[in-house]
Amino acid sequence: QGYTSFWNDCISSGLRGGILIELALRGRICLEPLSIRKKRLLERKVLLKSDAPTGDVLLDETLRHIRATESAETVQTWIELLTGETWNPFKLQYQLRNVRERIAKALVEKGILTTEKQNFLLFDMTTHPVSNTTEKQRLVKKLQESMLERWVNDPHRMDRRTLALLVLAHSSDVLENVFASLADDKYDVAMNRTKDLLDMDPEVEAAKARSTEMIWAVLAAFNK
């Protein structure tokens, strides 16, 4: 359609969670080590491992914010700060602004989206409909197959980015759209497996070998 639903208030925070996961996957940030005093994912602070530029404007802007903080913050607090959901006026400087629009423009430059003007009763709005449906279908198919033909029944054997995408689609309240094109029987299987996956205890899963703690910490933040 070129715009996100006016009724979906989860996408903004979901995108910020995605930024934290991407920075962790790129080795720029991590959670502070486990200690006796702080065992829970949502109590552990986000630490800067490297401030080397990633080449992505939003990721690098977030890195600068994390580097600039006087005291480290938790995953949940960072999602709130980057979204602008804080009562502390001194923390408003950490908000990432116009994230959806900036991501959309980057996708326009890559030829995946295009730019149009649409009229919504009282006003005109710039929208960014999908022009390269192949790329969108590739992602949708990848997620569908991860829950069906390529189902491994173990999140730690899944591709990390696929797992992250499932968690973030859930956090952004758009996961059902991924499976909407499936036949009823496959839809039920995919949704049930996804529910089982997302209902896993993030604390337990994060403690397992080969886990990506940041993915489970973001899931914990949204499931709270």
Side-chain angles (χ1 to χ4, degrees):
Q1 291 176 299
Y3 57 93
T4 49
S5 169
F6 297 117
W7 310 111
N8 187 328
D9 58 358
C10 304
I11 290 178
S12 292
S13 51
L15 288 172
R16 273 64 172 190
I19 287 171
L20 294 178
I21 289 175
E22 184 63 33
L23 286 173
L25 291 176
R26 295 193 188 199
R28 299 308 197 277
I29 62 174
C30 64
L31 294 183
E32 66 179 331
L34 275 169
S35 67
I36 294 174
R37 192 168 62 87
K38 290 182 179 176
K39 286 188 175 181
R40 296 188 62 79
L41 285 170
L42 295 184
E43 294 173 352
R44 292 161 63 191
K45 308 289 188 181
V46 174
L47 302 182
L48 187 69
K49 285 177 68 178
S50 166
D51 60 359
T54 66
D56 180 277
V57 175
L58 285 169
L59 296 182
D60 290 342
E61 188 175 327
T62 304
L63 267 185
R64 289 194 295 273
H65 287 330
I66 293 174
R67 184 179 58 194
T69 50
E70 292 183 11
S71 59
E73 304 286 1
T74 64
V75 167
Q76 187 159 19
T77 299
W78 268 119
I79 290 173
E80 292 168 357
L81 290 176
L82 295 171
T83 310
E85 295 177 357
T86 175
W87 296 104
N88 186 338
F90 298 105
K91 300 276 189 179
L92 284 173
Q93 60 181 311
Y94 298 125
Q95 180 182 1
L96 290 179
R97 299 182 185 279
N98 305 318
V99 169
R100 294 188 216 187
E101 184 66 19
R102 290 157 74 183
I103 290 174
K105 285 182 177 178
L107 291 172
V108 168
E109 290 174 6
K110 292 179 180 179
I112 294 171
L113 303 183
T114 186
T115 302
E116 292 180 359
K117 287 279 188 188
Q118 283 197 36
N119 181 264
F120 290 88
L121 296 178
L122 299 176
F123 60 93
D124 288 332
M125 188 172 87
T126 300
T127 61
H128 300 286
V130 176
S131 56
N132 182 349
T133 56
T134 305
E135 188 62 23
K136 178 181 177 180
Q137 287 307 314
R138 183 186 69 80
L139 278 177
V140 170
K141 189 168 184 286
K142 181 179 181 181
L143 291 183
Q144 290 177 349
E145 288 182 347
S146 72
M147 291 292 111
L148 295 169
E149 295 91 343
R150 298 180 183 273
W151 175 242
V152 292
N153 200 28
D154 179 359
H156 305 287
R157 290 169 55 205
M158 289 178 69
D159 170 67
R160 293 186 303 171
R161 291 184 182 278
T162 302
L163 175 62
L165 202 51
L166 286 166
V167 166
L168 293 166
H170 160 69
S171 304
S172 303
D173 196 22
V174 295
L175 186 55
E176 197 169 328
N177 299 359
V178 172
F179 304 122
S181 62
L182 294 172
D184 289 350
D185 55 339
K186 289 188 174 183
Y187 174 87
D188 290 340
V189 171
M191 287 300 290
N192 287 333
R193 286 175 175 171
T194 305
K195 184 178 185 303
D196 290 342
L197 176 69
L198 297 171
D199 283 346
M200 288 179 170
D201 186 340
E203 304 290 344
V204 173
E205 301 308 316
K208 292 181 180 178
R210 295 184 294 119
S211 80
T212 302
E213 289 185 323
M214 192 63 70
I215 296 176
W216 294 106
V218 167
L219 178 61
F222 284 104
N223 280 356
K224 188 178 178 186

